């Protein structure tokens, strides 16, 4: 086997630096071993020695007698190099065997024209294995007669050692460069190379025996049969390759003409060409008409495969046009003319694709996958024939039609890339482009533009209660309604989620935009029909104006800030951007960033709002509420950071913290007042229920701290209850804790569900309590209280803030309530003080002056 010809075959390194390091290491090792062989003498007398100047051309000639076989996508080569190695081991001085590898270097540089990295690696590893062969041969041959059995055995072991070491070094280089060879293929190659080396060694030993026995003039005759056999086999392989190519050409021609689409025809052409020419890369480029894109179809290197992709000719434009202008196929021998997309052209052959109307493309076949041969004139002729077949196939009316279809497809893809797939409105990208273009049109005019950002209030509630399909239906209906409120020339866009935007141009004053905003807000109050249910939707709108001096991104940020300000004001309103809003938006973004560190820095604290028996004034329990004690902003209310926590997923960690701290405090009060039954209510978020096994977490927490389960109340909002499985609610309730529906009456559930859910407590929302006013009282609170009594469910009224509300609730027979009239959320020490007051008999029944229990 030619030890050099398998080196790095078919590999294009991405880790070149590592291969250079390996090469240097091998070179150092070779130099260290070389110093050990200088003391070895020649086995033959001087009259029968083969000097280095004869050995060099013999090595060079042996490296040219190569047969290469392909295994899958790799080429492995065999030569008669072991013959010259064995001759040198017996008939030359060790240093002459090493010097003779100049012949090997000549073959790599002159005949194979290897690139620098491969050349350096092959020279280093070949020198190393040759020195190893000398050391192994001399060490074993010294044990007996060097020219007898001991020498023969030593030669066989030496050449087999070189085969094994060469394969190890080569596979190591392939691995370092990011490539790989199948393990089974490695053993197959090792087996074949070892067999070839054994055959070559045996032939060389026959010649050496004849030469040593005195038949120096006839020793060369021993080489005639194997050389003749070798060249006969090489001719056979060449004929077989030629026949294989002709068969591939026939198959390719048939497939090309039978392919129904130009895409499949081009892909087939590239694959067949890669196989026929044993190439690493094949590219077919359809050259554009004036003003149009080129299209690339390619296979290789490795698994790369593209079909009819728009393609920028770039630095290769001159090469493409020189190929297109040539009368036929041509060799590409200059490796500097082309290379991109992770591969570099070492050598190649190219041909134009021509039809009745001139040249319309080129085909490039690059980088032979074996190192022992390069593209030659026979490849040029074959590619010319193949290119003509491809041209005929593409010219059969399909090229023009397919390019037209590609143009239409590009337009369709551009439309899809710039429009929302659900509502068919413009998306954020197209809207931004529209704002930029509109600002440019404001130059030298007194006109200005308005950008409106819209957000649907409580859209998440619709998704949570009615499902995502209903939410999508609502978005589509909102999009259609927004179109009806605007002019045809206005741009309406969906930015994502429930956020929309409108671009208004040619405005002479702000009234034009505010009129549109008011029209939209009024129009949104008309109920939408979702799955047979009527639903009113409110929208918050932010408006920002811009002229030619403004930046598009700044105007859009201003509109976003104004929309947030509108949402903070009240639902269903609009705000026009003011400079102060920008500072508020910056503050909000900073707050969002700080929240990530708040949990780790223990900045979250709990406050406890008492739940009071409205008849006696006794505190029967508390609700744990989280507050953020910001180091510079002070106490941040939950309304300002809980939405951020929900978006980011931090709510899961925050919820776990609240549950842990609440249970710890409840256990303290349980142990301090074992005779009092004081409950602790903890809220759960939708993400906690969706992402955490809450039943297991609650069980572990109350068990670890020793809390009586009945003292813990888990509060879940009405909408979350409706989308939580009954089995999960049962699992939580089976722990002995109680379940409460929080904010009852604000969602979309039916009262009929109450008798089917494992619910212990209803907490009536503050919005119901607000309707208990002296002038006009809603019957809803009375209805819910009666419903709770009928179902055996406790009721707690939230948001009690006036003495009238308290008295009316007492009259209606409401048992428990909470609100700022009774007590705001308190620190733990304040709760303990309040509990002490309760022990002295302080009561809510003493009149208005006694309502604020904590003063």
């Amino acid at each position: 086997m030619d030890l050099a010809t398998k080196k790095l075959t078919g590999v294009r390194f991405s880790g070149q630096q590592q291969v250079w390091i390996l090469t240097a290491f091998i070179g150092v090792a070779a130099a260290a071993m070389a110093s050990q062989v200088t003391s070895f003498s020649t086995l033959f007398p001087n009259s029968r020695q083969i000097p280095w100047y004869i050995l060099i051309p013999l090595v060079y000639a042996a490296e040219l007698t190569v047969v290469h076989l392909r295994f899958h996508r790799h080429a492995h080569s065999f030569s008669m190099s072991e013959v010259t190695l064995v001759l040198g081991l017996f008939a030359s001085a060790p240093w002459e065997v090493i010097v003779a590898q100049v012949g090997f270097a000549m073959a790599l540089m002159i005949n194979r024209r290897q690139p620098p990295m491969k050349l350096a690696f092959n020279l280093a590893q070949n020198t190393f294995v040759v020195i190893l062969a000398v050391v192994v041969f001399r060490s074993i041959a010294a044990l007996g007669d060097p020219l007898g059995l001991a020498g023969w055995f030593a030669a066989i072991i030496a050449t087999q050692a070189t085969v094994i070491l060469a394969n190890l070094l080569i596979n190591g280089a392939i691995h370092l460069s990011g490539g790989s060879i199948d393990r089974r293929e490695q053993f197959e190659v090792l087996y074949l190379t070892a067999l070839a080396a054994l055959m070559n060694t045996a032939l060389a030993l026959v010649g050496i025996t004849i030469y040593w026995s005195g038949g120096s003039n006839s020793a060369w005759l021993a080489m005639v049969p194997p050389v003749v056999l070798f060249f006969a086999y090489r001719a056979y392989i060449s004929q077989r390759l030629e026949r294989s190519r002709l068969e591939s050409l026939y198959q390719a021609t048939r497939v090309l003409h039978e392919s129904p689409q130009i895409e499949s025809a081009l892909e087939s052409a590239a694959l067949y060409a890669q196989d026929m020419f044993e190439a690493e890369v094949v590219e077919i480029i359809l050259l554009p008409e004036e003003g149009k894109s080129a299209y690339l179809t390619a296979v290789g290197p490795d698994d790369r495969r593209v079909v009819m992709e728009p393609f920028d000719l770039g630095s290769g434009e001159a090469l493409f046009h020189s190929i297109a202008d040539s009368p036929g196929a041509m060799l590409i021998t200059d490796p500097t003319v082309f290379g991109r997309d992770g591969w570099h052209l070492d050598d190649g052959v190219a041909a134009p694709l021509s039809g009745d109307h001139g040249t319309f493309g080129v085909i490039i076949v690059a980088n032979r996958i074996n190192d022992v041969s390069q593209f030659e004139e026979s490849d040029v002729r074959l590619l010319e024939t193949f290119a003509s077949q491809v041209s005929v196939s593409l010219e059969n009316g399909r090229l023009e039609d397919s390019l037209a279809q590609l143009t239409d497809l590009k337009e369709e893809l551009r439309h899809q890339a710039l429009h929302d797939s659900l509502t068919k409105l413009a998306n954020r990208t197209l809207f931004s482009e529209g704002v930029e273009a509109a600002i440019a049109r404001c130059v030298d005019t007194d006109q200005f533009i308005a950008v409106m950002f819209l957000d649907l209030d409580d859209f998440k509630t619709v998704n949570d209660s009615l499902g995502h399909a209903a939410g999508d239906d609502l978005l589509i209906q909102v999009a259609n309604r927004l179109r009806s409120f605007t002019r045809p020339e206005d741009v309406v866009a969906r930015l994502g989620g429930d956020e929309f935007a409108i671009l208004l141009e040619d405005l002479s004053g702000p009234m034009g935009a505010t009129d549109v905003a008011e029209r939209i807000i009024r129009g949104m109050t008309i109920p939408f029909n979702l799955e047979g249910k009527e639903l009113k939707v409110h929208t918050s709108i932010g408006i920002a104006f811009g002229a030619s001096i403004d930046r598009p991104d700044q105007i859009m940020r201003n509109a976003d800030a104004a929309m947030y300000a509108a949402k903070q004001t009240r639902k269903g309103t609009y705000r026009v951007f003011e400079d102060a809003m920008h500072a508020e938006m910056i503050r909000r973004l900073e707050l969002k960033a700080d929240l990530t560190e708040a949990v780790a820095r223990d900045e979250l604290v709990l406050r406890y709002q008492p739940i009071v028996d409205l008849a006696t004034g006794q505190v029967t329990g508390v609700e744990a509420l989280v507050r953020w004690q910001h180091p510079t902003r002070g106490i941040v209310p939950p309304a300002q950071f809980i939405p951020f926590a929900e978006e980011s997923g931090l709510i899961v960690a925050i919820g776990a913290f609240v549950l842990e701290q609440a249970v710890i405090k409840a256990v303290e009060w349980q142990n301090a007042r074992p005779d009092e039954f004081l409950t602790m209510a903890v809220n759960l978020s939708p993400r906690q229920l969706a992402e955490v096994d809450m039943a297991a977490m609650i069980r572990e927490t109350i068990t670890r701290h020793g809390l009586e389960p009945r003292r813990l109340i888990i509060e879940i909002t009405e909408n979350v209850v409706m989308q939580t499985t009954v089995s999960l609610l049962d699992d939580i309730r089976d722990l002995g804790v109680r379940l409460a529906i929080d904010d009852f009456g604000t969602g979309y559930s039916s009262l009929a569900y109450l008798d089917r859910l494992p619910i212990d407590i209803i907490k009536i929302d503050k919005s119901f309590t607000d309707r208990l006013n002296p002038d006009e009282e809603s019957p809803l609170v009375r209805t819910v209280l009666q419903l709770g009594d009928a179902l055996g469910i406790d009721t707690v009224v939230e948001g009690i803030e006036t003495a009238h509300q308290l008295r009316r609730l007492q009259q209606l027979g409401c048992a428990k309530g909470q609100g700022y009239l009774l007590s705001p959320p308190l620190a733990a020490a304040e709760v303990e003080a309040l509990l002490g007051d309760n022990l002295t008999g302080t009561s809510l029944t003493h009149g208005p002056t006694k309502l604020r229990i904590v003063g």
Side-chain angles (χ1 to χ4, degrees):
M1 172 190 174
D2 178 349
L3 296 177
T5 53
K6 179 178 175 286
K7 317 303 183 283
L8 311 182
T9 300
V11 176
R12 297 295 179 264
F13 290 107
S14 57
Q16 292 190 5
Q17 187 175 11
Q18 297 183 64
V19 179
W20 278 113
I21 293 172
L22 176 62
T23 301
F25 176 80
I26 295 171
V28 171
M33 287 185 64
S35 62
Q36 300 179 19
V37 303
T38 55
S39 60
F40 293 145
S41 60
T42 309
L43 298 179
F44 283 106
N46 291 338
S47 61
R48 293 185 178 274
Q49 288 184 17
I50 301 177
W52 61 268
Y53 51 83
I54 294 179
L55 200 56
I56 286 177
L58 290 178
V59 171
Y60 176 73
E63 291 299 329
L64 299 184
T65 57
V66 175
V67 173
H68 57 274
L69 301 177
R70 288 176 58 190
F71 297 91
H72 307 295
R73 294 294 300 157
H74 298 281
H76 306 285
S77 304
F78 306 89
S79 71
M80 301 185 71
S81 57
E82 287 83 10
V83 173
T84 56
L85 176 60
V86 172
L87 289 177
L89 292 175
F90 279 94
S92 301
W95 67 267
E96 290 181 303
V97 177
I98 299 172
V99 170
Q101 301 313 305
V102 171
F104 173 78
M106 292 168 55
L108 294 187
M109 292 185 289
I110 298 173
N111 295 87
R112 297 174 198 163
R113 299 197 295 273
Q114 290 190 339
M117 186 188 68
K118 274 188 188 177
L119 178 64
F121 175 81
N122 287 335
L123 290 176
Q125 72 89 22
N126 184 73
T127 303
F128 185 44
V129 298
V130 167
I131 295 173
L132 175 68
V134 173
V135 173
V136 170
F137 174 76
R138 288 307 184 101
S139 299
I140 298 175
L143 300 177
D145 182 5
L147 299 176
L149 290 176
W152 297 352
F153 183 69
I156 293 173
I157 295 300
T159 54
Q160 293 299 310
T162 62
V163 168
I164 294 171
L165 180 60
N167 274 274
L168 288 175
L169 293 176
I170 293 163
N171 291 333
I174 293 173
H175 175 73
L176 289 176
S177 68
S180 64
I181 299 179
D182 181 79
R183 186 177 298 276
R184 180 179 176 182
E185 184 180 334
Q186 291 180 18
F187 285 113
E188 187 176 4
V189 171
L190 181 61
Y191 167 74
L192 291 175
T193 52
L195 190 63
L198 180 61
M199 181 186 71
N200 287 338
T201 303
L203 292 174
L205 289 174
V206 171
I208 287 294
T209 302
I210 296 173
Y211 185 69
W212 176 247
S213 62
S216 57
N217 294 329
S218 58
W220 61 273
L221 293 174
M223 298 301 296
V224 172
V227 169
V228 170
L229 180 62
F230 180 87
F231 281 102
Y233 182 71
R234 185 174 180 180
Y236 162 74
I237 292 295
S238 178
Q239 288 296 320
R240 192 177 71 172
L241 176 62
E242 190 69 23
R243 185 170 65 253
S244 175
R245 284 186 165 190
L246 291 175
E247 290 176 357
S248 296
L249 181 61
Y250 168 76
Q251 291 293 335
T253 302
R254 183 178 60 81
V255 171
L256 284 172
H257 288 289
E258 291 177 356
S259 297
Q261 300 292 334
I262 187 174
E263 292 83 359
S264 58
L266 287 170
E267 185 177 17
S268 297
L271 288 170
Y272 273 106
Q274 187 183 41
D275 185 66
M276 274 192 294
F277 292 93
E278 302 176 29
E280 182 189 31
V281 180
V282 174
E283 293 193 341
I284 301 175
I285 299 100
L286 300 184
L287 299 174
E289 299 176 11
E290 190 67 30
K292 295 186 178 180
S293 297
Y295 292 96
L296 170 68
T297 298
V299 292
D302 301 322
D303 296 329
R304 171 175 171 254
R305 185 177 297 188
V306 297
V307 179
M308 288 293 278
E309 282 192 359
F311 171 62
D312 182 13
L313 296 178
S315 60
E317 184 169 4
L319 171 64
F320 296 139
H321 286 292
S322 67
I323 298 170
D325 294 338
S326 67
M330 57 186 286
L331 285 171
I332 305 173
T333 57
D334 184 359
T336 64
V337 297
F338 190 60
R340 56 178 173 75
D341 291 344
W343 69 278
H344 179 78
L345 187 147
D346 293 331
D347 67 316
V349 59
L353 302 175
S354 304
D356 295 337
H357 304 291
T359 299
F360 58 81
V362 299
I363 178 171
I364 298 175
V365 178
N367 300 349
R368 186 83 86 180
I369 63 170
N370 62 75
D371 282 342
V372 297
S373 66
Q374 292 186 308
F375 294 110
E376 51 194 24
E377 287 303 320
S378 61
D379 297 302
V380 173
R381 294 191 297 272
L382 180 62
L383 183 62
E384 197 164 298
T385 303
F386 182 70
S388 67
Q389 295 296 328
V390 174
S391 299
V392 171
S393 175
L394 298 181
E395 275 286 288
N396 284 339
R398 291 186 292 173
L399 181 59
E400 185 176 348
D401 292 343
S402 188
L403 291 179
Q405 291 173 9
L406 275 175
T407 301
D408 294 340
L409 178 61
K410 282 176 61 180
E411 292 300 321
E412 182 181 348
L413 291 175
R414 173 173 169 76
H415 184 274
Q416 292 178 1
L418 297 176
H419 289 78
D420 175 53
S421 60
L422 179 65
T423 63
K424 311 307 178 187
L425 296 177
N427 63 12
R428 183 181 291 272
T429 301
L430 183 58
F431 187 79
S432 301
E433 292 176 0
V435 173
E436 186 174 1
I439 288 176
R441 288 192 288 270
C442 290
V443 178
D444 300 328
T445 70
D446 296 330
Q447 302 292 314
F448 57 91
I449 67 169
V451 171
M452 304 171 65
F453 271 33
L454 299 81
D455 182 273
L456 302 184
D457 299 323
D458 300 324
F459 175 73
K460 185 177 183 298
T461 304
V462 178
N463 259 347
D464 291 344
S465 58
L466 300 182
H468 289 282
D472 289 346
D473 187 17
L474 176 60
L475 293 174
I476 293 171
Q477 293 188 45
V478 168
N480 293 334
R481 198 168 290 187
L482 289 177
R483 288 192 188 97
S484 68
F485 297 147
T486 54
R487 303 168 298 180
E489 61 268 25
D490 297 330
V491 179
V492 183
R494 180 188 175 210
L495 304 182
D498 62 332
E499 290 189 1
F500 295 84
I502 299 174
L503 170 62
L504 306 174
E505 290 191 68
D506 301 327
L507 299 178
S508 55
M511 290 293 291
T514 56
D515 286 347
V516 173
E518 291 173 356
R519 189 160 65 246
I520 291 173
I521 290 172
R522 287 195 306 269
M524 287 296 177
T525 61
I526 302 173
F528 291 89
N529 188 290
L530 293 179
E531 299 180 351
K533 300 177 183 179
E534 288 193 345
L535 178 68
K536 288 185 178 181
V537 174
H538 299 285
T539 181
S540 301
I541 303 176
I543 305 173
F545 297 102
S548 58
I549 61 173
D550 296 308
R551 298 197 322 272
D553 59 332
Q554 186 61 54
I555 298 174
M556 293 177 67
R557 280 199 298 270
N558 292 347
D560 191 25
M563 181 186 73
Y564 179 76
K567 290 179 74 70
Q568 295 296 102
T569 303
R570 60 183 172 88
K571 296 178 180 180
T573 189
Y574 71 87
R575 293 286 301 275
V576 177
F577 176 76
E578 301 171 2
D579 289 339
M581 294 178 183
H582 181 68
E584 172 62 20
M585 191 174 186
I586 296 298
R587 188 195 70 82
R588 188 161 57 100
L589 293 174
E590 291 174 347
L591 204 63
K592 189 173 183 179
D594 291 345
L595 181 60
T596 305
E597 304 296 330
V599 179
R601 292 196 297 247
D602 294 327
E603 293 173 4
L604 299 180
V605 296
L606 293 193
R607 295 291 181 263
Y608 306 91
Q609 186 169 35
I611 299 171
V612 178
D613 185 316
L614 298 186
T616 65
Q618 291 293 113
V619 176
T620 63
V622 296
E623 180 182 356
L625 302 169
V626 66
R627 298 291 185 265
W628 179 7
Q629 195 164 330
H630 195 281
T632 58
R633 304 178 192 274
I635 294 293
V636 181
Q640 294 187 18
F641 71 86
I642 290 297
F644 299 150
E646 288 279 4
E647 292 173 13
S648 64
L650 282 172
I651 194 66
V652 175
I654 293 174
F657 166 80
V658 171
L659 178 65
E660 180 79 13
Q661 297 303 312
V663 168
I664 290 173
K665 187 55 64 177
V667 170
E668 288 182 17
W669 293 337
Q670 168 187 283
N671 296 336
R673 295 177 171 83
D675 297 332
E676 298 178 29
F677 186 72
L678 190 71
T679 61
M680 176 69 72
V682 176
N683 292 275
L684 296 186
S685 73
R687 290 193 72 157
Q688 282 179 281
L689 289 167
E691 299 178 13
V692 179
D693 185 350
M694 284 309 305
M697 176 182 283
I698 294 169
R699 180 191 300 108
E700 190 277 333
T701 305
I702 62 178
T703 302
R704 175 160 42 88
H705 294 292
L707 179 67
E708 296 177 26
R710 62 196 183 98
R711 292 178 181 265
L712 181 63
I713 298 173
I714 297 298
E715 295 189 7
I716 308 173
T717 62
E718 184 178 6
N719 289 323
V720 176
V721 166
M722 298 307 301
Q723 59 180 316
T724 303
T725 62
V726 175
S727 62
L728 175 56
L729 298 177
D730 284 334
D731 289 344
I732 295 175
R733 196 164 180 257
D734 288 345
L735 299 174
V737 305
R738 291 189 288 170
L739 288 176
I741 296 183
D742 195 18
D743 300 335
F744 182 81
T746 60
Y748 294 87
S749 68
S750 168
L751 297 178
Y753 281 98
L754 287 177
D755 65 342
R756 288 187 284 169
L757 294 174
I759 300 300
D760 301 288
I761 302 168
I762 295 174
K763 299 193 73 173
I764 301 175
D765 187 66
K766 180 181 181 298
S767 61
F768 285 74
T769 309
D770 291 341
R771 300 180 190 180
L772 294 174
N773 58 71
D775 300 326
E776 182 180 359
E777 181 175 299
S778 170
L780 290 174
V781 173
R782 177 190 294 117
T783 302
V784 176
L785 290 172
Q786 292 172 348
L787 177 67
D789 289 340
L791 296 175
I793 299 175
D794 294 341
T795 53
V796 177
V797 177
E798 299 179 301
I800 302 174
E801 296 182 349
T802 68
H804 173 78
Q805 292 171 347
L806 174 62
R807 285 194 297 270
R808 187 68 185 121
L809 289 169
Q810 290 171 329
Q811 293 169 4
L812 292 173
C814 180
K816 297 177 183 178
Q818 67 183 106
Y820 273 75
L821 177 68
L822 307 176
S823 173
L826 305 172
E830 294 174 306
V831 172
E832 291 163 4
L834 176 62
L835 293 174
D837 288 342
N838 269 267
L839 291 175
T840 65
T842 304
S843 174
L844 291 177
T845 60
H846 294 168
T849 58
K850 297 292 185 180
L851 291 175
R852 296 293 295 250
I853 294 179
V854 295

